[in-house]
Amino acid sequence: MSGPFHNASNFKIDNLEIVQTNNTHIHPYAGKSALERLEEHISPGAAHNSDERCEAPKCHPETRAAVQGEILSWITEGDSDADPKRLLWLTGPAGTGKSAIAGSVAETCSEQGLLAATFFFSSFSGSADRRSKACFVPTLAYQLRKHTSLQSVGKAILSAIDNDPAIFRTRLKDQFTELILKPFRQLHGQYHTSTRTLPKVIIIDGVDECEPLSPPHRPFTKEEAQVAREKGHLEILNLLLDAVCDPAFPFRIVIVSRPERQFTTFLTETASNTTLKLFLDDEYNPDADIELFLNAKFAEMRRRYHLPTSWPTPEQMSTLVEKSSGQFIYAATALRFVGDGAQLPQDQLNIVLGLVIENHSECNPFQELDALYLHILQACPDPLATTRWIATVDEEPQYCNRPHRRPLPAHFWRQFIEWVPGEMERFLGCIPSLLFLPPPEDRQSPIRVYHKSLHDFLNTRNSPLISVFIKIYGPPHQWPRNCRVGRVLRIIQNKGPVIPARTQQDHEEFLAHFLSISPAFWSRVRTSEDKRIFLSSDARWWIDRYLDEPPNDYSAERSMTMWYILDRVHEPCPIFYRCSDACKRWRKAIVDGCTARAYVVPGSLELFLRRAANRRLLPLGRPFIYLYIRVRNPRGTDHLSWAQLRAYERGSWYMPTSKWIRPA
């Protein structure tokens, strides 16, 4: 080493002053205490009592008492259970008040000295650091060190930061080990024999809302973001499982999330021995809690607006509770709309209940609910396909002539949807917070949409989903064809599901369910590919199956079924040209099958008039419509005016009221 003191020895220097003017490097942590460094990496808004969460929902007094009581009992007395669990997973559909329950339990625990720490994730409200896992461990560590009963742990946490100032740049598991687990391990004996009262629980809400950070050089693709998101969730779940399995860790942990796939798999399989699951369903009588909540809020409105005590009426209250479907988000959103002051509360309530719709076409009382649904559906791998399949399952009962209209089992829809294994999970398994999808081994349970407002959201003309679809897929005319159409065509072609059933009984059950759906569910034969599939299919086999299907609560009226099949294949044919080969094939199968069973069937003139009337061509439209009605109903139409004839025709446009195809 060269320098002014090279090889020097046995000397003394007094009053030395060294000034370095070049190559100065100041460490980012220089001059900062461990506590200051810790504070730089926390998320202040994620604490249960943060200013950022001052408007966060809490359970209204006397509501959700049962579930709150069960959670508090588990926190204070869970060790006495026959099979003690140290993790509690509170889950349920979107909008059931999970975060409100978590916030209320946190407040109660804080008042009783039971609360150790909290972290409330949020992906679409609050500060950005509540969306990321980066601040998760430092925030918990910061809150733990503040407890007077954990002062020794707090010193150990700060000591760990002094020993490794870059600890915040390590993996989440390493942060948790160094900042939380090791301090408790070092002091395990001390706290085990201490007479001081320790807090008992850590509450973590909205883990499913933790979002990944995009790499700096480019944003994530949608697929990459989803993979990173699930990996982040599992990383958090794994470190929490490690914590409760560590004998030195003294706390119970409450995890609150939607029942997304990765959470269900991890907490009910990997962590099943340590996890108690609470699912917010009808067991906790949410309707009674919602009614209490509504009564209290309406009482406030009556005082504010000086309204009579008779408002709202018992019928209105009952309807509002029913529309809520056990989900507080609907009730809370409706109340905000009713009391927003835009109009009289009575008028606003009528809008919500659907009693008055005039002049309110632009009003949307459910913007917050729509935003939640939009957020969930946008996260799907294929939002358009998911939306269409929800609509298909939702609309299915209206295409069935079943007396009791029992929904078809999810097992049928799995066979109906899947061209390759796993498509059901891809399209509908990605939204467990919106609907219940039974497992594959469940052959009886139907798919169940949790909340009725989802149907309204998907069928709203100005739904924000439309703009999302346009951004993803382009203008509507460029959108992919409805998946349902392709599935129906392939089933017709294969005489069963695309993925063959495992047993003959399974195959026959599928066909029985498929035959129970009216052919009005089918798409009309439009494209050349449609015609090719219909032409190559065994038309007579299908007609015989429909006509010979044994009667049960799924069977439709056979004549109506034949009419709809005929309508699907014949209506698109041109008026003055011959029918397509596919139409001829299926029409012949219908005529032969019905004739063999002594059914009355339409002749060539009736079919021609049917097509002409359907086109409503002018000037030929009127006589064709008139002749069409006369053929269908030869008596009783002579006295009708043209306006009455047209009204008559519109009223029975697609329904075979005159029994064109009927038993003799």
Side-chain angles (χ1 to χ4, degrees):
M1 176 180 178
S2 61
F5 305 104
H6 184 58
N7 293 327
S9 62
N10 299 321
F11 65 91
K12 180 180 179 182
I13 300 176
D14 293 322
N15 301 319
L16 175 66
E17 181 180 355
I18 298 176
V19 179
Q20 182 175 342
T21 58
N22 298 317
N23 302 321
T24 302
H25 175 71
I26 301 177
H27 196 279
Y29 300 126
K32 293 183 180 179
S33 68
L35 180 57
E36 289 173 328
R37 294 197 292 271
L38 177 59
E39 288 175 338
E40 289 178 351
H41 292 87
I42 70 171
S43 173
H48 76 284
N49 59 349
S50 68
D51 178 66
E52 190 173 300
R53 296 195 70 254
C54 65
E55 298 297 331
K58 299 286 192 305
C59 292
H60 192 270
E62 299 182 14
T63 65
R64 289 305 202 186
V67 65
Q68 289 187 70
E70 188 165 347
I71 295 172
L72 290 169
S73 174
W74 173 82
I75 292 171
T76 57
E77 303 172 5
D79 288 333
S80 62
D81 291 347
D83 184 17
K85 310 282 188 182
R86 299 194 66 206
L87 268 177
L88 185 146
W89 180 33
L90 177 64
T91 186
T96 48
K98 298 183 294 294
S99 292
I101 293 170
S104 296
V105 170
E107 291 285 355
T108 302
C109 288
S110 179
E111 293 169 0
Q112 298 178 8
L114 302 173
L115 188 64
T118 57
F119 197 102
F120 282 72
F121 285 98
S122 180
S123 62
F124 47 86
S125 64
S127 53
D129 52 27
R130 291 179 60 192
R131 307 171 194 173
S132 166
K133 65 182 182 181
C135 297
F136 175 60
V137 174
T139 302
L140 295 183
Y142 180 82
Q143 294 179 41
L144 289 174
R145 65 156 295 279
K146 294 195 303 179
H147 284 274
T148 56
S149 59
L150 298 174
Q151 289 181 359
S152 298
V153 170
K155 292 176 181 178
I157 291 171
L158 298 180
S159 177
I161 297 172
D162 280 330
N163 292 335
D164 184 7
I167 185 65
F168 305 108
R169 299 182 181 180
T170 61
R171 295 175 304 179
L172 208 64
K173 181 178 180 179
D174 295 329
Q175 292 182 42
F176 198 85
T177 300
E178 295 296 326
L179 295 179
I180 297 178
L181 289 184
K182 280 189 177 180
F184 279 104
R185 289 170 185 167
Q186 294 168 8
L187 303 164
H188 180 44
Q190 174 182 334
Y191 284 108
H192 184 69
T193 59
S194 174
T195 58
R196 289 177 294 181
T197 301
L198 295 180
K200 290 182 175 292
V201 67
I202 293 175
I203 298 175
I204 303 164
D205 176 69
V207 185
D208 53 293
E209 296 187 35
C210 178
E211 300 290 344
L213 294 175
S214 294
H217 58 284
R218 65 172 179 84
F220 276 135
T221 64
K222 186 171 183 178
E223 292 75 17
E224 291 172 337
Q226 183 62 25
V227 171
R229 182 173 177 269
E230 293 185 6
K231 286 178 64 177
H233 295 165
L234 291 174
E235 187 178 10
I236 293 173
L237 293 174
N238 272 298
L239 70 86
L240 296 178
L241 177 60
D242 290 343
V244 297
C245 291
D246 193 312
F249 187 77
F251 308 120
R252 296 172 175 273
I253 296 179
V254 175
I255 298 173
V256 184
S257 78
R258 299 172 190 151
E260 294 187 358
R261 189 182 319 153
Q262 62 271 27
F263 290 90
T264 302
T265 301
F266 185 91
L267 292 168
T268 60
E269 296 178 12
T270 307
S272 60
N273 292 333
T274 60
T275 303
L276 174 66
K277 177 182 175 182
L278 292 186
F279 191 89
L280 296 178
D281 55 15
D282 293 342
E283 178 184 348
Y284 295 100
N285 195 12
D287 286 355
D289 289 335
I290 289 174
E291 188 170 1
L292 279 172
F293 173 66
L294 291 173
N295 277 323
K297 294 300 182 181
F298 278 127
E300 293 177 9
M301 284 188 206
R302 287 195 295 267
R303 288 191 292 270
R304 188 191 321 156
Y305 293 99
H306 307 289
L307 299 175
T309 57
S310 59
W311 180 85
T313 66
E315 292 76 15
Q316 289 175 317
M317 284 289 293
S318 177
T319 301
L320 198 54
V321 170
E322 181 181 356
K323 282 178 172 288
S324 296
S325 300
Q327 296 183 321
F328 277 82
I329 190 171
Y330 184 98
T333 306
L335 284 168
R336 280 192 289 270
F337 179 76
V338 171
D340 67 4
Q343 298 185 45
L344 289 174
Q346 302 96 312
D347 295 336
Q348 297 286 78
L349 179 59
N350 286 338
I351 294 173
V352 172
L353 298 177
L355 302 177
V356 177
I357 59 175
E358 294 82 11
N359 303 320
H360 295 292
S361 59
E362 296 302 317
C363 291
N364 180 12
F366 307 116
Q367 291 183 2
E368 291 190 34
L369 197 56
D370 287 354
L372 178 60
Y373 287 146
L374 183 64
H375 175 79
I376 294 170
L377 292 169
Q378 274 185 288
C380 296
D382 188 342
L384 180 60
T386 296
T387 301
R388 284 173 167 174
W389 282 122
I390 295 172
T392 296
V393 174
D394 192 40
E395 294 169 2
E396 174 269 324
Q398 66 182 278
Y399 290 107
C400 297
N401 295 312
R402 305 193 291 274
H404 305 293
R405 293 197 170 189
R406 291 187 296 153
L408 292 173
H411 182 70
F412 164 77
W413 288 114
R414 192 176 299 275
Q415 294 175 294
F416 183 94
I417 289 174
E418 290 189 347
W419 282 6
V420 294
E423 281 192 297
M424 181 77 149
E425 293 295 327
R426 172 179 169 81
F427 293 133
L428 295 179
C430 57
I431 50 170
S433 56
L434 299 184
L435 56 77
F436 169 69
L437 183 62
E441 59 271 17
D442 187 342
R443 303 172 62 90
Q444 302 298 326
S445 301
I447 297 172
R448 178 163 53 90
V449 175
Y450 285 125
H451 197 251
K452 296 176 182 178
S453 61
L454 179 62
H455 172 83
D456 300 330
F457 173 72
L458 295 179
N459 290 279
T460 299
R461 179 171 297 179
N462 297 319
S463 169
L465 271 176
I466 302 299
S467 59
V468 172
F469 293 159
I470 290 174
K471 289 179 182 178
I472 298 175
Y473 306 99
H477 68 274
Q478 296 179 6
W479 294 359
R481 196 180 188 190
N482 196 319
C483 309
R484 182 182 78 188
V485 176
R487 267 55 174 186
V488 169
L489 292 174
R490 289 290 297 274
I491 289 169
I492 291 173
Q493 187 177 40
N494 292 355
K495 298 182 182 178
V498 175
I499 300 178
R502 294 182 180 180
T503 64
Q504 184 62 28
Q505 179 184 357
D506 195 13
H507 181 83
E508 291 300 321
E509 286 180 2
F510 172 83
L511 286 177
H513 291 318
F514 182 78
L515 293 171
S516 76
I517 304 176
S518 167
F521 186 73
W522 299 7
S523 173
R524 288 189 171 89
V525 181
R526 300 287 189 192
T527 68
S528 57
E529 178 64 13
D530 295 352
K531 295 175 182 177
R532 185 192 68 77
I533 291 177
F534 267 84
L535 185 61
S536 63
S537 302
D538 191 342
R540 183 60 190 269
W541 184 89
W542 279 104
I543 298 304
D544 289 340
R545 287 301 300 254
Y546 271 111
L547 291 174
D548 294 335
E549 185 69 14
N552 53 43
D553 67 336
Y554 286 95
S555 59
E557 186 181 351
R558 292 179 177 84
S559 59
M560 186 177 295
T561 298
M562 293 299 102
W563 167 264
Y564 277 126
I565 295 176
L566 180 62
D567 180 72
R568 286 323 186 231
V569 299
H570 178 65
E571 192 275 338
C573 293
I575 297 178
F576 297 108
Y577 298 91
R578 64 181 184 178
C579 292
S580 67
D581 292 337
C583 176
K584 292 178 181 177
R585 182 184 184 90
W586 280 80
R587 191 176 71 221
K588 183 177 186 305
I590 292 171
V591 171
D592 291 347
C594 291
T595 302
R597 293 165 177 82
Y599 276 54
V600 176
V601 295
S604 300
L605 176 61
E606 292 169 328
L607 290 174
F608 171 76
L609 294 174
R610 169 76 173 85
R611 272 187 288 159
N614 232 23
R615 296 303 193 281
R616 295 179 181 267
L617 294 179
L618 294 175
L620 298 178
R622 274 191 180 181
F624 278 142
I625 290 175
Y626 178 71
L627 288 172
Y628 176 52
I629 294 174
R630 290 297 302 276
V631 169
R632 293 172 65 189
N633 189 4
R635 293 183 298 275
T637 58
D638 292 335
H639 66 283
L640 297 178
S641 66
W642 278 113
Q644 291 171 317
L645 283 171
R646 294 182 70 84
Y648 176 92
E649 180 60 24
R650 282 194 297 270
S652 57
W653 193 246
Y654 290 111
M655 300 299 294
T657 52
S658 60
K659 304 287 186 185
W660 269 28
I661 302 174
R662 63 187 187 278

